[in-house]
Amino acid sequence: MDKTGNTVGSSTYQRIKRDIIFGNLAPASKLKLDALRERYSASMSTLRETLSRLSSEGFVSSEEQRGFFVTAVSQKDLIEISNLRILLECHAARLSIQNGDTDWEGNLVAAHHKLHLMEQRMLAGDTSLKEDWKRYDWEFHLAMIEACGSGNLLSLHSILYDKYLRYQMLVLTYRGQEAVDEHREMFEAALARQADKAAEILQIHIEKGLEHTLAAM
């Protein structure tokens, strides 16, 4: 495939995945190729390749003779995703805090600053930028673990985080000051190179987010 084809395929993948995560393509809904071709202005071959890729990541399911569907949601699945996220992200955070250099610290400071500013807007009642808020949240969590030294770990975590985010966006309600405090405490522990403390706060943060989302489902 040429460079233009790769760009189109990547764009289609990102757009469909985003629409699944943010609920624009509803859980368990059928993904009809003709409708997708019109919606995303993509060829049939690009769509099939994209859906197969999303299927391998768990965002789409394929059924023989029936086609492609957006993966359904369940409380059991969310609990499993959260437990796996704790396992991977807490391990990655410990490694990253132990290994991180000055550039890592600078990226972490910048990521927390952006997230904190957005959280203050949310606390003030402005919920108009939910997607930006979740992007800054992702950038902060990624900055925490980015120096872990394992590309495979970062790749697996990225897929899990997106699956977790999908559930949050389906039932999104803001946890408020409690989540803000957890981010700040995690951030301060990381800068102080207190790896175990940061990982402990991170686990609590994910567990409380799970409880909050389960209660809203």
Side-chain angles (χ1 to χ4, degrees), residues 1 5-6 38 40 50 54 59 65 70-71 94 96 101 106 114 124 136 147 162-163 176 180 184 191 201 204 209-210:
M1 187 180 290
N6 278 324
E38 183 175 339
Y40 298 102
T50 296
L54 289 168
F59 294 97
Q65 307 299 324
V70 177
T71 300
R94 286 188 175 92
S96 188
D101 58 13
K114 288 191 292 184
Y136 290 145
D162 282 344
K163 290 182 176 181
V180 175
R184 177 183 51 77
L191 286 186
I201 298 167
I204 292 170
L210 170 62

Side-chain angles (χ1 to χ4, degrees), residues 151-211:
N152 288 322
L153 182 51
L154 290 172
S155 179
L156 287 171
H157 172 264
S158 176
I159 293 171
L160 274 175
Y161 189 93
D162 282 344
K163 290 182 176 181
Y164 184 88
L165 174 58
R166 179 179 175 227
Y167 278 92
Q168 286 195 315
M169 297 311 298
L170 286 172
V171 296
L172 185 62
T173 51
Y174 186 44
R175 279 208 296 133
Q177 189 64 51
E178 183 179 52
V180 175
D181 291 342
E182 289 159 9
H183 282 143
R184 177 183 51 77
E185 291 167 8
M186 214 186 310
F187 168 68
E188 291 173 351
L191 286 186
R193 304 293 174 150
Q194 297 173 328
D196 287 338
K197 181 178 180 180
E200 180 182 342
I201 298 167
L202 173 59
Q203 179 169 344
I204 292 170
H205 178 70
I206 296 171
E207 288 173 343
K208 287 187 176 180
L210 170 62
E211 293 171 3

Side-chain angles (χ1 to χ4, degrees), residues 46 57-58 115 177:
T46 295
E57 294 179 354
L115 173 60
Q177 189 64 51

Side-chain angles (χ1 to χ4, degrees), residues 133-149:
W133 161 49
K134 295 313 298 182
R135 177 164 56 84
Y136 290 145
D137 184 75
W138 157 246
E139 289 176 358
F140 170 71
H141 281 271
L142 178 60
M144 282 279 296
I145 68 172
E146 215 161 18
C148 69

Side-chain angles (χ1 to χ4, degrees), residues 15-27 29 31 39-40 70 131 166 169-170:
R15 290 173 64 200
I16 294 178
K17 184 176 181 179
R18 180 202 170 280
D19 283 346
I20 290 173
I21 290 172
F22 286 91
N24 298 321
L25 293 171
S29 62
L31 296 167
R39 178 169 180 161
Y40 298 102
V70 177
E131 191 168 337
R166 179 179 175 227
M169 297 311 298
L170 286 172

Side-chain angles (χ1 to χ4, degrees), residues 85-95 199 202-203 206:
R85 187 182 162 201
I86 288 169
L87 186 67
L88 291 181
E89 193 170 334
C90 290
H91 176 60
R94 286 188 175 92
L95 292 174
L202 173 59
Q203 179 169 344
I206 296 171

